[in-house]
Amino acid sequence: MVKLEQLRADHADVLLVFEQENREYFARSVPDRGDAYFAEFASRLRALLAEQDAGLCHFHVVVDDQGELIGRVNLVDVAEGTAELGYRIGERAAGRGAATAAVEEVCRLAVVAYRLSVLTAVTTLDNPASMAVLRRNGFTPTGDISIGGRPGIRYRRPLAVSR
């Protein structure tokens, strides 16, 4: 079981460790964030929290049953009822359904807490695990895209808005 917590300033230290420990693992399937990301982590986190406070994005950490941070799931570029989904699960938790569960939960939050009606997502073609997570959560392919120079695919999922 996984739980999503809205990103807070007090997540900074554990989130930085998570990103550092998983940097090479993530770089196998998504473009690397580069050294500047880590060098400027504190200021970037402050900027993300400001975007969240303004309602432009919704950032979450994913924690396991023991309260350990195992991933992130975010809704960015929130506008007119839509947002783009992004997620990453650390190597130690990969392959255990955590990504599927985290995406399922953020889709629920997108409707009930954030009042969104459509989510989009992208992944590289060499990331079949991510494509499977999106399919399991009702996303359908809508077209090809280039992600950091790598071939990818764009997905879309309409959401049932609660009334």
Side-chain angles (χ1 to χ4, degrees), residues 8 18 48 53 59 75 79 93 134:
R8 304 181 310 263
F18 167 80
L48 293 177
D53 289 345
F59 301 108
L75 299 173
L134 293 170

Side-chain angles (χ1 to χ4, degrees), residues 61-129:
V61 294
V62 181
V63 296
D64 65 13
D65 290 339
Q66 290 75 42
E68 297 291 321
L69 192 149
I70 61 167
R72 303 175 71 169
V73 61
N74 304 314
L75 299 173
V76 300
D77 298 333
V78 175
E80 299 178 13
T82 68
E84 184 166 320
L85 167 71
Y87 56 92
R88 52 181 51 206
I89 299 296
E91 187 171 20
R92 289 188 320 224
R96 299 184 189 151
T100 298
V103 169
E104 179 180 17
E105 177 61 10
V106 85
C107 288
R108 186 190 70 77
L109 286 173
V111 173
V112 300
Y114 308 133
R115 299 291 194 212
L116 299 175
S117 57
V118 174
L119 294 182
T120 61
V122 299
T123 190
T124 55
L125 292 179
D126 61 355
N127 191 347

